[in-house]
């Protein structure tokens, strides 16, 4: 048995680490600005409650370059990770339409029950209770199984969490165009700890409530983080638009494909089943074939820590592994599986 516990429970997008380490920042305008980034002594003294026009323009540009969201006529709200934007969106719907619950289909991202509880709403998994007025939260592709999801309720208030709607996780990215679409710097470029997320919102009243929410819960999203995010996203837009070098999405797609191909070769000999319909995504959603406890099985047999199936609203035979871990973690995991 290998000595060290391997943590494959955490969802840090470290598969993009090597890309950023090796990127020549001198090849793009934003890259040069990034490498010379020095916050002057008075930088950040003027409160910025939502975001700068430059940041909004950069967000529009990256979506145009990737083609994953229609930004035409959308209001942009930037928050402390997409977490903040999802909370703001739930609050805005509750405030404007009096929604009292949130529909989320299982398996779901493990933090959703807490987000809903903090928002003082009720979590349900369908709209059969006609006494409720739910918001529907649709994550597509989904965490943990990378399933492409569509709305399945009659609720008019929908939030699309598109955190994984980037080329590294999908065969084909589509042009999304819904009322509230949310994105994360974490799952797009890999910068999880910079804590930036954004929402594209059609309805100006909803957008204004969301802006107020962000302002009142933070007195403005960190401008230093926003500046970093602006340059990181700007570098990627330039690389794609000018076809002048490898962008992080193409790199990420290649890296994850390599990993999924390796796993597929092992598939038939594994003691667990991989549930993902396609061999793609940031996470590997698994099920123990004999129905026993997935977390215990992985600890006992491989010394690997996984995310428990129960956290996604499923049974204990399910579990989630991160395919988006660092190269060395993935290699070590692969070796343990192969033995
Ligand atoms: C589906 C989904 N939504 C939201 C988040 C939170 O993202 P952020 O780090 O931008 O707050 C995650 C992070 O793993 C996620 O998987």
């Amino acid at each position: 048995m290998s000595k060290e516990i391997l943590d494959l429970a955490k969802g840090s997008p470290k598969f993009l680490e090597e890309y950023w380490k090796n990127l020549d920042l001198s090849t793009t305008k934003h890259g040069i600005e990034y490498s010379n980034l020095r916050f002057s002594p008075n930088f950040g003294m003027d409160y910025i409650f939502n975001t700068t026009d430059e940041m909004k323009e950069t967000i529009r540009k990256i979506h145009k370059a990737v083609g994953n969201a229609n930004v035409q006529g959308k209001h942009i709200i930037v928050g402390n990770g997409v977490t903040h934007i999802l909370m703001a969106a739930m609050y805005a719907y509750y405030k404007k339409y009096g929604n009292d619950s949130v529909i989320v289909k299982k398996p779901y991202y493990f933090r959703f029950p807490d987000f809903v509880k903090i928002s003082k709403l009720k979590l349900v998994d369908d709209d059969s209770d006609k006494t409720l007025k739910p918001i529907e939260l649709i994550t597509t592709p989904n965490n943990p199984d990378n399933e492409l999801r569509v709305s399945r309720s009659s609720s008019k208030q929908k939030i699309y969490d598109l955190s994984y709607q980037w080329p590294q996780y999908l065969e084909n990215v589509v042009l999304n165009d819904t009322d509230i679409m949310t994105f994360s710097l974490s799952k797009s470029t890999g910068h999880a700890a910079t804590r930036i997320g954004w929402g594209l919102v059609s309805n100006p009243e909803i957008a204004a409530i969301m802006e107020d929410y962000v302002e009142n819960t933070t007195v403005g999203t960190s401008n230093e983080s926003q500046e970093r995010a602006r340059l990181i996203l700007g570098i990627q837009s330039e690389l794609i638009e000018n076809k002048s070098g490898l962008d992080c999405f193409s790199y990420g797609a290649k890296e994850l494909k390599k990993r999924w191909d390796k796993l597929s070769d092992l598939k038939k000999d594994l003691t667990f089943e991989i549930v993902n319909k396609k061999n793609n995504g940031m996470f590997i959603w698994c099920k123990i074939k004999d129905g026993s406890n997935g977390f215990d099985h992985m600890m006992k047999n491989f010394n690997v820590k996984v995310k428990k199936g129960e956290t996604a609203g499923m049974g204990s035979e399910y579990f989630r592994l991160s395919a988006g871990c660092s190269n060395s973690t993935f290699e070590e995991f692969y070796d343990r599986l192969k033995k």
Side-chain angles (χ1 to χ4, degrees), residues 158-269:
K158 302 183 203 298
I159 302 168
Y160 282 81
D161 181 346
L162 303 180
S163 296
Y164 297 93
Q165 194 69 230
W166 297 96
Q168 59 267 48
Y169 309 112
L170 284 175
E171 257 170 344
N172 298 306
V173 153
V174 292
L175 188 73
N176 291 274
D177 193 358
T178 55
D179 285 347
I180 299 187
M181 300 183 274
T182 70
F183 292 90
S184 162
L185 192 72
S186 160
K187 301 308 181 309
S188 51
T189 66
H191 297 82
T194 305
R195 305 302 308 129
I196 290 294
W198 61 94
L200 305 176
V201 179
S202 304
N203 181 328
E205 273 183 77
I206 293 293
I209 302 171
M210 287 175 68
E211 274 185 9
D212 275 354
Y213 181 96
V214 168
E215 180 175 332
N216 286 326
T217 49
T218 54
V219 193
T221 304
S222 160
N223 197 30
E224 298 191 8
S225 282
Q226 293 199 58
E227 271 301 282
R228 285 197 190 279
R230 179 179 73 78
L231 295 173
I232 287 165
L233 292 169
I235 291 168
Q236 295 307 316
S237 299
E238 275 187 73
L239 289 172
I240 298 171
E241 279 165 13
N242 304 339
K243 297 191 175 61
S244 54
L246 183 65
D247 60 87
C248 70
F249 312 111
S250 308
Y251 171 90
K254 247 188 171 158
E255 182 56 39
L256 286 183
K257 180 168 185 328
K258 212 164 61 190
R259 296 178 184 198
W260 275 100
D261 285 349
K262 285 180 107 173
L263 286 174
S264 307
D265 291 344
L266 293 183
K267 235 177 185 172
K268 64 177 186 334
D269 301 320

